[in-house]
Amino acid sequence: SLRFLKAAGLPVVDARLVGSVDAAEAAAAALGFPVALKVAADDILHKSDVGGVALGLKSLPALREAYAAMAAGVAAKTGRPVETFLVAPMIADGVETVLGVHRDPVFGPVVMFGLGGIFVEALGDVVFRAAPIGRDEAHRMIRGIRSFRILQGVRGRPPADIDALAAALARLSVIAAAHADTIESIDVNPFLVRANGQGAVALDALVIPRKASE
């Protein structure tokens, strides 16, 4: 999913797919600590549900321990060995948002935006537009959530890079429209919006294709 979105022009985290603890260590050394470790499997759509996410790993011993524990834990829950993992640098200096796409039977691809992390479930503060949209409409969409003030900077936090967020949201809508016949949904969560001028980046994503019979 991240590779697809990167190729389509969305900014994504520099993640590495690995198939062994040695490869995970090499990836972490290249990326720099701290790192995140996640399970990567086509049939595991929600990694956290099976214990497939470990964040803030600060050293090789911590990475090795997390790798072994995750491999054993996920295998026990899914009933099969875990073969592939994702190693990515930890990026936490920003506001977590969620970008999404779903296929509406009437309007076709619809793009969604809201605050990410715990906020999207706790507040349900999201807005929708039929895709595609331009950057001006993306800005209006962003300002349409009730919690927009968080992106403007509160309690000493700097304002978020709303221009970068709007550019990504508009780009995602174009991707959705271009692939309306082949993509069922896209979930980019979290999409981290950093301080103004520092850009934004997708930390995780899930792209679900349409079934061939549809």
Side-chain angles (χ1 to χ4, degrees):
S1 295
L2 287 173
R3 284 178 175 175
F4 168 77
L5 292 174
K6 180 179 180 180
L10 206 71
V12 307
V13 67
D14 183 13
R16 312 286 175 89
L17 278 173
V18 299
S20 68
V21 68
D22 290 341
E25 291 179 1
L31 294 169
F33 287 98
V35 297
L37 178 70
K38 303 178 182 181
V39 66
D42 290 344
D43 59 341
I44 300 177
L45 301 185
H46 302 288
K47 305 175 185 68
S48 57
D49 291 348
V50 295
V53 178
L55 303 177
L57 304 175
K58 298 180 180 180
S59 65
L60 288 176
L63 176 62
R64 286 193 294 269
E65 181 179 350
Y67 191 103
M70 190 178 297
V74 174
K77 289 186 177 181
T78 61
R80 63 173 181 79
V82 181
E83 298 179 350
T84 311
F85 295 83
L86 197 71
V87 180
M90 285 294 301
I91 307 174
D93 57 338
V95 178
E96 289 189 356
T97 67
V98 55
L99 315 184
V101 172
H102 76 270
R103 184 171 57 88
D104 184 272
V106 175
F107 297 103
V110 174
V111 66
M112 179 269 288
F113 166 73
L115 289 188
I118 62 171
F119 296 109
V120 66
E121 296 181 1
L123 302 179
D125 187 12
V126 295
V127 289
F128 300 88
R129 294 290 191 281
I133 61 172
R135 293 195 185 190
D136 289 345
E137 186 61 28
H139 271 282
R140 285 190 287 270
M141 191 174 174
I142 293 165
R143 284 166 170 76
I145 62 172
R146 296 188 302 274
S147 44
F148 174 65
R149 282 190 59 199
I150 293 176
L151 290 166
Q152 294 178 297
V154 293
R155 294 192 175 184
R157 294 179 64 94
D161 197 333
I162 297 173
D163 285 341
L165 172 58
L169 188 57
R171 183 59 196 160
L172 182 66
S173 78
V174 171
I175 296 169
H179 295 271
D181 294 334
T182 56
I183 290 180
E184 180 68 25
S185 66
I186 302 174
D187 181 28
V188 184
N189 186 18
F191 186 77
L192 191 74
V193 188
R194 308 182 77 179
N196 192 29
Q198 296 183 14
V201 61
L203 301 185
D204 208 345
L206 176 63
V207 179
I208 298 180
R210 291 186 64 180
K211 296 179 181 179
S213 60
E214 294 181 338

PDB file of all heavy atoms in Angstrom, residues 4 13 18 28-30 40 43 72 86 88 97 110 113 124-125 134 151 177 196-197:
ATOM      1  N   PHE A   4       2.561   1.686  -3.400  1.00  0.00           N
ATOM      2  CA  PHE A   4       1.602   2.155  -4.407  1.00  0.00           C
ATOM      3  C   PHE A   4       1.362   3.649  -4.254  1.00  0.00           C
ATOM      4  O   PHE A   4       1.388   4.401  -5.241  1.00  0.00           O
ATOM      5  CB  PHE A   4       0.291   1.386  -4.279  1.00  0.00           C
ATOM      6  CG  PHE A   4      -0.836   1.991  -5.062  1.00  0.00           C
ATOM      7  CD1 PHE A   4      -0.915   1.824  -6.437  1.00  0.00           C
ATOM      8  CD2 PHE A   4      -1.809   2.749  -4.422  1.00  0.00           C
ATOM      9  CE1 PHE A   4      -1.948   2.401  -7.167  1.00  0.00           C
ATOM     10  CE2 PHE A   4      -2.843   3.323  -5.139  1.00  0.00           C
ATOM     11  CZ  PHE A   4      -2.915   3.149  -6.517  1.00  0.00           C
ATOM     12  N   VAL A  13       6.394   7.389   4.527  1.00  0.00           N
ATOM     13  CA  VAL A  13       7.570   7.130   5.344  1.00  0.00           C
ATOM     14  C   VAL A  13       8.499   6.164   4.610  1.00  0.00           C
ATOM     15  O   VAL A  13       8.060   5.324   3.817  1.00  0.00           O
ATOM     16  CB  VAL A  13       7.145   6.546   6.711  1.00  0.00           C
ATOM     17  CG1 VAL A  13       6.535   5.159   6.559  1.00  0.00           C
ATOM     18  CG2 VAL A  13       8.305   6.542   7.696  1.00  0.00           C
ATOM     19  N   VAL A  18      11.268  -6.540   5.417  1.00  0.00           N
ATOM     20  CA  VAL A  18      12.338  -7.458   5.812  1.00  0.00           C
ATOM     21  C   VAL A  18      11.746  -8.834   6.084  1.00  0.00           C
ATOM     22  O   VAL A  18      10.573  -8.970   6.437  1.00  0.00           O
ATOM     23  CB  VAL A  18      13.083  -6.948   7.057  1.00  0.00           C
ATOM     24  CG1 VAL A  18      13.737  -5.599   6.779  1.00  0.00           C
ATOM     25  CG2 VAL A  18      12.151  -6.826   8.250  1.00  0.00           C
ATOM     26  N   ALA A  28      17.152  -1.100  10.314  1.00  0.00           N
ATOM     27  CA  ALA A  28      17.115  -0.138  11.413  1.00  0.00           C
ATOM     28  C   ALA A  28      18.413   0.656  11.493  1.00  0.00           C
ATOM     29  O   ALA A  28      18.397   1.872  11.745  1.00  0.00           O
ATOM     30  CB  ALA A  28      16.859  -0.871  12.728  1.00  0.00           C
ATOM     31  N   ALA A  29      19.545  -0.017  11.263  1.00  0.00           N
ATOM     32  CA  ALA A  29      20.832   0.674  11.284  1.00  0.00           C
ATOM     33  C   ALA A  29      20.905   1.711  10.168  1.00  0.00           C
ATOM     34  O   ALA A  29      21.463   2.800  10.350  1.00  0.00           O
ATOM     35  CB  ALA A  29      21.969  -0.335  11.156  1.00  0.00           C
ATOM     36  N   ALA A  30      20.333   1.384   9.012  1.00  0.00           N
ATOM     37  CA  ALA A  30      20.354   2.316   7.885  1.00  0.00           C
ATOM     38  C   ALA A  30      19.410   3.493   8.107  1.00  0.00           C
ATOM     39  O   ALA A  30      19.723   4.632   7.752  1.00  0.00           O
ATOM     40  CB  ALA A  30      19.991   1.579   6.595  1.00  0.00           C
ATOM     41  N   ALA A  40       3.808  -7.456   8.270  1.00  0.00           N
ATOM     42  CA  ALA A  40       3.372  -7.132   6.912  1.00  0.00           C
ATOM     43  C   ALA A  40       2.866  -8.401   6.246  1.00  0.00           C
ATOM     44  O   ALA A  40       3.647  -9.282   5.903  1.00  0.00           O
ATOM     45  CB  ALA A  40       4.522  -6.528   6.108  1.00  0.00           C
ATOM     46  N   ASP A  43      -3.102 -10.720   4.388  1.00  0.00           N
ATOM     47  CA  ASP A  43      -4.356 -11.102   5.041  1.00  0.00           C
ATOM     48  C   ASP A  43      -4.502 -10.515   6.441  1.00  0.00           C
ATOM     49  O   ASP A  43      -5.439 -10.829   7.151  1.00  0.00           O
ATOM     50  CB  ASP A  43      -4.480 -12.630   5.104  1.00  0.00           C
ATOM     51  CG  ASP A  43      -3.331 -13.274   5.853  1.00  0.00           C
ATOM     52  OD1 ASP A  43      -2.281 -12.612   6.013  1.00  0.00           O
ATOM     53  OD2 ASP A  43      -3.466 -14.430   6.277  1.00  0.00           O
ATOM     54  N   ALA A  72       6.228 -14.610  17.353  1.00  0.00           N
ATOM     55  CA  ALA A  72       5.550 -15.662  18.110  1.00  0.00           C
ATOM     56  C   ALA A  72       4.095 -15.302  18.378  1.00  0.00           C
ATOM     57  O   ALA A  72       3.191 -16.132  18.225  1.00  0.00           O
ATOM     58  CB  ALA A  72       6.290 -15.904  19.418  1.00  0.00           C
ATOM     59  N   LEU A  86       7.814  -4.952   8.549  1.00  0.00           N
ATOM     60  CA  LEU A  86       8.094  -3.620   8.048  1.00  0.00           C
ATOM     61  C   LEU A  86       8.878  -2.866   9.118  1.00  0.00           C
ATOM     62  O   LEU A  86       8.466  -2.829  10.280  1.00  0.00           O
ATOM     63  CB  LEU A  86       6.785  -2.885   7.757  1.00  0.00           C
ATOM     64  CG  LEU A  86       6.827  -1.650   6.872  1.00  0.00           C
ATOM     65  CD1 LEU A  86       7.106  -2.047   5.428  1.00  0.00           C
ATOM     66  CD2 LEU A  86       5.504  -0.905   6.959  1.00  0.00           C
ATOM     67  N   ALA A  88      10.429   0.935   9.974  1.00  0.00           N
ATOM     68  CA  ALA A  88      10.314   2.333   9.553  1.00  0.00           C
ATOM     69  C   ALA A  88      10.832   3.240  10.661  1.00  0.00           C
ATOM     70  O   ALA A  88      10.754   2.889  11.844  1.00  0.00           O
ATOM     71  CB  ALA A  88       8.862   2.681   9.237  1.00  0.00           C
ATOM     72  N   THR A  97      -3.426  12.810  11.443  1.00  0.00           N
ATOM     73  CA  THR A  97      -4.697  12.928  10.747  1.00  0.00           C
ATOM     74  C   THR A  97      -4.971  11.618  10.012  1.00  0.00           C
ATOM     75  O   THR A  97      -4.110  10.734   9.948  1.00  0.00           O
ATOM     76  CB  THR A  97      -4.695  14.102   9.738  1.00  0.00           C
ATOM     77  OG1 THR A  97      -3.772  13.817   8.674  1.00  0.00           O
ATOM     78  CG2 THR A  97      -4.302  15.400  10.425  1.00  0.00           C
ATOM     79  N   VAL A 110     -15.160   8.651  -2.994  1.00  0.00           N
ATOM     80  CA  VAL A 110     -15.354   9.769  -2.078  1.00  0.00           C
ATOM     81  C   VAL A 110     -14.140   9.841  -1.161  1.00  0.00           C
ATOM     82  O   VAL A 110     -13.704   8.828  -0.603  1.00  0.00           O
ATOM     83  CB  VAL A 110     -16.640   9.593  -1.244  1.00  0.00           C
ATOM     84  CG1 VAL A 110     -16.760  10.681  -0.195  1.00  0.00           C
ATOM     85  CG2 VAL A 110     -17.863   9.592  -2.159  1.00  0.00           C
ATOM     86  N   PHE A 113     -11.514  13.130   5.252  1.00  0.00           N
ATOM     87  CA  PHE A 113     -10.439  13.710   6.063  1.00  0.00           C
ATOM     88  C   PHE A 113     -10.926  13.924   7.486  1.00  0.00           C
ATOM     89  O   PHE A 113     -12.074  14.304   7.718  1.00  0.00           O
ATOM     90  CB  PHE A 113      -9.975  15.060   5.499  1.00  0.00           C
ATOM     91  CG  PHE A 113      -9.125  15.823   6.472  1.00  0.00           C
ATOM     92  CD1 PHE A 113      -7.820  15.423   6.726  1.00  0.00           C
ATOM     93  CD2 PHE A 113      -9.625  16.907   7.172  1.00  0.00           C
ATOM     94  CE1 PHE A 113      -7.038  16.089   7.658  1.00  0.00           C
ATOM     95  CE2 PHE A 113      -8.857  17.585   8.100  1.00  0.00           C
ATOM     96  CZ  PHE A 113      -7.552  17.174   8.339  1.00  0.00           C
ATOM     97  N   GLY A 124     -15.318  11.273  15.832  1.00  0.00           N
ATOM     98  CA  GLY A 124     -16.061  11.143  14.594  1.00  0.00           C
ATOM     99  C   GLY A 124     -16.092  12.438  13.798  1.00  0.00           C
ATOM    100  O   GLY A 124     -17.047  12.716  13.069  1.00  0.00           O
ATOM    101  N   ASP A 125     -15.045  13.232  13.937  1.00  0.00           N
ATOM    102  CA  ASP A 125     -14.989  14.558  13.326  1.00  0.00           C
ATOM    103  C   ASP A 125     -14.339  14.442  11.949  1.00  0.00           C
ATOM    104  O   ASP A 125     -13.138  14.699  11.780  1.00  0.00           O
ATOM    105  CB  ASP A 125     -14.195  15.497  14.236  1.00  0.00           C
ATOM    106  CG  ASP A 125     -14.224  16.943  13.766  1.00  0.00           C
ATOM    107  OD1 ASP A 125     -15.027  17.257  12.873  1.00  0.00           O
ATOM    108  OD2 ASP A 125     -13.438  17.747  14.306  1.00  0.00           O
ATOM    109  N   GLY A 134      -9.490  19.801  -5.981  1.00  0.00           N
ATOM    110  CA  GLY A 134      -8.252  20.561  -6.096  1.00  0.00           C
ATOM    111  C   GLY A 134      -7.777  21.029  -4.726  1.00  0.00           C
ATOM    112  O   GLY A 134      -8.420  20.782  -3.700  1.00  0.00           O
ATOM    113  N   LEU A 151      -4.962  21.914  14.354  1.00  0.00           N
ATOM    114  CA  LEU A 151      -3.992  22.071  13.277  1.00  0.00           C
ATOM    115  C   LEU A 151      -3.401  23.483  13.248  1.00  0.00           C
ATOM    116  O   LEU A 151      -2.310  23.686  12.707  1.00  0.00           O
ATOM    117  CB  LEU A 151      -4.649  21.762  11.932  1.00  0.00           C
ATOM    118  CG  LEU A 151      -5.007  20.290  11.696  1.00  0.00           C
ATOM    119  CD1 LEU A 151      -5.953  20.156  10.508  1.00  0.00           C
ATOM    120  CD2 LEU A 151      -3.749  19.464  11.475  1.00  0.00           C
ATOM    121  N   ALA A 177      -9.836   8.885  -8.033  1.00  0.00           N
ATOM    122  CA  ALA A 177     -10.611   9.028  -9.255  1.00  0.00           C
ATOM    123  C   ALA A 177      -9.982   8.247 -10.408  1.00  0.00           C
ATOM    124  O   ALA A 177     -10.685   7.616 -11.204  1.00  0.00           O
ATOM    125  CB  ALA A 177     -10.738  10.506  -9.626  1.00  0.00           C
ATOM    126  N   ASN A 196       4.524  23.796  10.304  1.00  0.00           N
ATOM    127  CA  ASN A 196       4.426  24.547   9.058  1.00  0.00           C
ATOM    128  C   ASN A 196       5.786  24.657   8.372  1.00  0.00           C
ATOM    129  O   ASN A 196       6.772  25.062   8.981  1.00  0.00           O
ATOM    130  CB  ASN A 196       3.880  25.949   9.342  1.00  0.00           C
ATOM    131  CG  ASN A 196       3.482  26.664   8.073  1.00  0.00           C
ATOM    132  OD1 ASN A 196       3.102  26.037   7.092  1.00  0.00           O
ATOM    133  ND2 ASN A 196       3.580  27.983   8.084  1.00  0.00           N
ATOM    134  N   GLY A 197       5.829  24.249   7.097  1.00  0.00           N
ATOM    135  CA  GLY A 197       7.065  24.274   6.339  1.00  0.00           C
ATOM    136  C   GLY A 197       7.833  22.970   6.345  1.00  0.00           C
ATOM    137  O   GLY A 197       8.802  22.811   5.593  1.00  0.00           O
TER     138      GLY A 197
END
